[in-house]
Amino acid sequence: MTRETANPVGPSDPPPIRHSVLEAEHQALGAAFTVFAGWRMPLRYTSELAEHHAVRRAAGLFDLSHMGEIRVRGAQAGAALDAALVSEFDTLAVGRAKYTMMCDENGGVVDDLVVYRISPTDFLVVANAANTAVVVDELRRRCAEFNVEVRDETTRWCLVALQGPKAVDILRGLLDEQVLELRYYRVTEADVCGRRALVARTGYTGEDGFEIFLDDDPVPLWRAILERGQDAGVLPCGLAARDSLRLEAGMPLYGRELSRDRTPFHAGLGRVVALDKPNFVGKAALMRYAAEPPDETLAGLAGVGRRAPRHGDAVYDERGLVRIGEVTSGAPSPTLGYAIAMAYLRRDYAAPNTPALVDVRGKYEAVTVTELPFYRRKK
């Protein structure tokens, strides 16, 4: 199956827009669409606020088919990923998942990834939609000396995610009980609505939930989840709610908090870097940042009202005299009821409870530096 348009293009034409195989379902549900990273995906269905609250209170159903799926297979797959990415994979147990990053020689982040070990010789790498082609090319180049095959399987898979406190109850009957007991950051093969699938428990919203990778018709599963979850308050959710949810959960977004201009240590994610493993791309630069932390760091900002800082807004000290950083993401928090933001700040101004000001469209808004995440679900 393919999710790309079939129209031929010339060398000067823009690339064709990609479409999820669930697009007709989204249209039937009244979705408003946007083009994101070359994909036509739902932005919202009726209300992004209602969708946000559904995930926090019940569950939300997401079509994440725009994410990139890359298969790395072969006898040396673990060793190849050790050389290509910043974390350690050769020792990763089968059925486990790991959040990691691909960095360049300067330590800058090429993309943040989730890697699943399906078998001793088989890994699934999930990349951000905007970076899939780059990650595929880089993995092929970095793994060329190893006995592995790197294959872009993005057009093979449809990825559906159910996130929220009622996710387990809603999936009961659609997934085996053993699969519902899957622990966090694990993956397994399973029967889903009579189809073989990969089921993972990772997530990007701050809530419990499952990601289901299907390489066959996903429509029966999509419809079954919405039907079973209707009385519980489940809603289909678009990209807008996904962004506000991840912001509350303090999760970085590539192109905002993560980029080639900054390393994992800038973003407070140095823990994903395995500096004690043999050489990997970017190791020398990352060792320097580990020994001498960068001058700026990613921090949270909590406002007093709902007038929220936005991407690119300047952050100043509490007197408005010294520019101390810049906002990467910001919005009113539907869950918390006040404005929140993430920002890169000078390290000497980044301690929790430090007062600061943000220039929001020409007017200073008072904020307080806070630790991330802003929201933690109740266990």
Side-chain angles (χ1 to χ4, degrees), residues 80-87 101-108 110 138 141-143 273 277-286:
L81 288 173
D82 278 357
L85 308 178
V86 302
S87 307
M101 296 181 188
M102 174 183 281
C103 290
D104 60 22
E105 291 287 358
N106 297 318
V110 177
E138 280 295 312
R141 183 177 67 82
R142 298 179 187 195
C143 298
V273 183
K277 70 175 181 175
N279 194 41
F280 60 92
V281 178
K283 180 176 180 179
L286 292 170

Side-chain angles (χ1 to χ4, degrees), residues 315-325 346 349 357 364:
V315 186
Y316 293 86
D317 71 336
E318 63 178 320
R319 297 179 296 169
L321 300 177
V322 180
R323 179 167 174 151
I324 62 172
R346 280 176 37 177
Y349 285 91
L357 299 172
Y364 281 145

Side-chain angles (χ1 to χ4, degrees), residues 317-372:
D317 71 336
E318 63 178 320
R319 297 179 296 169
L321 300 177
V322 180
R323 179 167 174 151
I324 62 172
E326 185 174 298
V327 172
T328 53
S329 298
S333 167
T335 303
L336 303 174
Y338 53 81
I340 58 174
M342 288 194 279
Y344 275 103
L345 303 179
R346 280 176 37 177
R347 192 169 291 274
D348 52 340
Y349 285 91
N353 300 316
T354 300
L357 299 172
V358 180
D359 183 351
V360 180
R361 298 179 293 280
K363 180 181 177 181
Y364 281 145
E365 293 290 333
V367 295
T368 302
V369 178
T370 184
E371 292 183 349
L372 297 171

Side-chain angles (χ1 to χ4, degrees), residues 231-263:
D231 292 340
V234 173
L235 292 178
C237 298
L239 293 175
R242 188 167 181 253
D243 190 50
S244 59
L245 290 159
R246 71 92 193 168
L247 176 57
E248 289 183 346
M251 294 182 176
L253 176 66
Y254 194 88
R256 295 291 182 90
E257 288 73 41
L258 302 175
S259 70
R260 289 178 184 256
D261 296 330
R262 294 184 173 99
T263 72

Side-chain angles (χ1 to χ4, degrees), residues 122-182:
D122 185 6
F123 292 80
L124 181 65
V125 179
V126 177
N128 287 295
N131 296 329
T132 299
V134 172
V135 172
V136 170
D137 290 345
E138 280 295 312
L139 282 175
R140 286 174 176 161
R141 183 177 67 82
R142 298 179 187 195
C143 298
E145 298 180 1
F146 295 86
N147 180 19
V148 297
E149 176 192 16
V150 177
R151 187 168 64 201
D152 184 358
E153 294 189 347
T154 303
T155 57
R156 170 187 172 185
W157 296 100
C158 181
L159 176 55
V160 171
L162 185 68
Q163 297 280 300
K166 296 183 180 180
V168 171
D169 291 338
I170 292 159
L171 290 173
R172 187 163 280 117
L174 297 176
L175 302 180
D176 291 339
E177 197 67 30
Q178 183 178 357
V179 177
L180 294 176
E181 294 174 359
L182 196 68

Side-chain angles (χ1 to χ4, degrees), residues 5 15 30-31 36 63 90 96 98 117 126 141 181 202 206 226 230 261 268 283 291-292 301 308 346 372:
T5 57
F36 176 76
D63 177 6
D90 205 24
R96 297 291 296 269
K98 183 173 286 190
R117 190 165 201 169
V126 177
R141 183 177 67 82
E181 294 174 359
T202 50
L226 289 179
Q230 184 175 9
D261 296 330
K283 180 176 180 179
E292 186 175 346
L301 301 176
R346 280 176 37 177
L372 297 171

